[in-house]
Amino acid sequence: MEMEETTICRNCGREVPKTLYCIYCGAPLIGLEAEEGREEKEEIREQAERRMVIEGVEEAKTVAVRGDVEELMERLRDHYIWRLRLCGILCDGGVSEEVFKRLYDEYSTKIRELQGERERLSSRLREELEERRRRLEEARRQLEELNVRAAVGQIPMMEVEEKTPRLRREIEELEEETSRLEAELSRLRNIMSGVKPRELSNLEEIARRSIAALDRLVRGGRLNREMAERVREDLRETLRLLEGVVGDRRRREEELRMELSLLEARYKVGEITASELEERKRRIREELEKLWL
């Protein structure tokens, strides 16, 4: 037996035979379908065009912000490193106090300017992130509410099917935006990003050596006391930045060296054989070599 063709009345939402008029509410079906179909297609086309324009603008803004963040953080990182290396050169007697002070002031002034830019950019991105999170929460709430209203029979399922794709697309876009903004903010917090671990370790050594040498430089008349105290504070700040990055690697290095000492002791008391000792030592040394690459 051939099934009767049916359609959904867009006026009352009921499934009805595909005739000229709805058998329940009397609304026209075929003419109404055609007209609403044309309106729906036109609306979809306009929405798509608007979305393409918006997405194009947003993509351009995203690329611009990402570029701004990378350029800003690279410049800030470079000035921190140059200033630190300058301190190392002073300790080694490779620069006069006059030249040192001139370059040190130049680098310090630029660091303050770049830090100000970083704070302003961070503030703007945090505001954008909060706005995206608010919109994301609202879109999720709307989707949940839509399904609940359909479940209790307040609205037809057809309305849910029509609105759900748009809401899901909006949620996905907002999730991508929040993830991007979180990544940008994370990048703004990490001044030493992009510097290789071994170089970070070398910079940390320069900072410690420079701090230890300041009193000697003052006693030797190569640096005045006021300037030395200013440099000391800056070096301590830089050292905190470096320790935050290399700290985990430093702790792991200490653990591995302790394991090597324990292995030697275990071998001497006869707990492990010579071949076991050499195999374990080989694995530990390989990890130590990779630790600062």
Side-chain angles (χ1 to χ4, degrees):
M1 180 177 177
E2 186 176 346
M3 296 292 291
E4 183 179 20
E5 189 175 1
T6 62
T7 186
I8 300 296
C9 176
R10 299 183 67 83
N11 185 56
C12 67
R14 298 183 181 183
E15 184 177 11
V16 295
K18 194 169 185 180
T19 59
L20 291 175
Y21 299 96
C22 176
I23 62 175
Y24 294 105
C25 68
L29 295 176
I30 298 177
L32 183 63
E33 274 187 344
E35 181 63 28
E36 291 188 347
R38 285 193 297 271
E39 291 177 357
E40 184 176 4
K41 288 178 181 177
E42 182 64 21
E43 183 181 355
I44 290 172
R45 184 185 64 79
E46 291 177 357
Q47 287 178 350
E49 289 177 353
R50 287 196 298 269
R51 188 163 60 251
M52 287 174 66
V53 172
I54 293 171
E55 288 175 354
V57 172
E58 289 298 321
E59 183 178 357
K61 287 170 61 179
T62 297
V63 172
V65 170
R66 186 177 295 117
D68 290 345
V69 170
E70 287 303 316
E71 181 185 359
L72 172 62
M73 296 309 292
E74 284 177 9
R75 292 168 63 201
L76 182 57
R77 178 196 66 201
D78 288 345
H79 279 82
Y80 265 105
I81 292 175
W82 294 338
R83 190 175 69 175
L84 179 54
R85 287 175 179 165
L86 179 64
C87 292
I89 293 172
L90 177 69
C91 294
D92 295 334
V95 63
S96 66
E97 181 179 3
E98 182 182 1
V99 172
F100 171 81
K101 187 175 184 305
R102 181 170 178 174
L103 287 176
Y104 196 90
D105 287 344
E106 177 186 317
Y107 295 153
S108 296
T109 299
K110 197 62 181 178
I111 286 172
R112 286 193 296 273
E113 291 176 0
L114 293 169
Q115 288 283 30
E117 289 183 32
R118 184 175 73 140
E119 287 303 315
R120 289 189 290 274
L121 185 54
S122 295
S123 178
R124 179 162 67 85
L125 291 177
R126 281 194 295 268
E127 289 177 2
E128 289 184 19
L129 178 60
E130 288 304 311
E131 191 268 341
R132 297 297 192 284
R133 284 174 173 169
R134 181 190 59 76
R135 286 171 53 191
L136 178 59
E137 183 179 349
E138 175 63 18
R140 286 170 173 167
R141 185 196 62 76
Q142 288 180 7
L143 182 60
E144 180 183 5
E145 183 178 307
L146 189 67
N147 283 282
V148 171
R149 289 182 186 277
V152 300
Q154 181 181 351
I155 59 175
M157 281 303 299
M158 182 180 63
E159 185 174 340
V160 178
E161 293 169 357
E162 288 177 351
K163 293 182 178 179
T164 294
R166 178 186 61 80
L167 284 170
R168 290 195 183 281
R169 185 169 58 250
E170 182 180 357
I171 289 170
E172 289 176 2
E173 291 172 354
L174 288 169
E175 286 175 341
E176 290 177 2
E177 277 289 291
T178 54
S179 296
R180 179 188 64 79
L181 289 167
E182 288 167 352
E184 298 292 351
L185 284 167
S186 176
R187 176 68 183 91
L188 284 167
R189 288 190 290 269
N190 189 358
I191 293 176
M192 292 298 170
S193 176
V195 183
K196 292 183 178 181
R198 194 175 298 282
E199 176 64 12
L200 288 171
S201 180
N202 293 337
L203 292 171
E204 183 185 37
E205 178 58 31
I206 292 174
R208 294 185 185 281
R209 182 165 58 87
S210 299
I211 290 173
L214 286 174
D215 290 337
R216 172 175 57 80
L217 293 171
V218 171
R219 289 193 301 269
R222 294 181 52 206
L223 197 64
N224 67 63
R225 175 67 63 181
E226 181 181 355
M227 186 66 184
E229 289 307 313
R230 177 184 158 196
V231 171
R232 193 190 311 275
E233 288 303 310
D234 290 340
L235 284 170
R236 284 173 176 167
E237 178 203 359
T238 305
L239 191 57
R240 285 192 292 271
L241 291 176
L242 294 167
E243 287 176 337
V245 180
V246 303
D248 291 340
R249 282 186 169 83
R250 188 76 68 197
R251 284 187 289 274
R252 182 56 181 161
E253 181 182 31
E254 292 173 359
E255 290 173 357
L256 291 171
R257 296 197 183 283
M258 174 58 72
E259 285 185 34
L260 285 173
S261 299
L262 289 171
L263 282 174
E264 292 286 354
R266 293 181 191 280
Y267 169 69
K268 289 176 181 178
V269 300
E271 181 181 341
I272 59 176
T273 65
S275 60
E276 288 175 324
L277 171 66
E278 291 306 316
E279 175 60 22
R280 294 188 191 181
K281 284 171 64 175
R282 182 186 61 78
R283 290 199 299 267
I284 292 173
R285 284 170 180 155
E286 285 177 356
E287 185 174 349
L288 279 168
E289 289 176 2
K290 294 176 182 177
L291 197 60
W292 297 104
L293 294 177

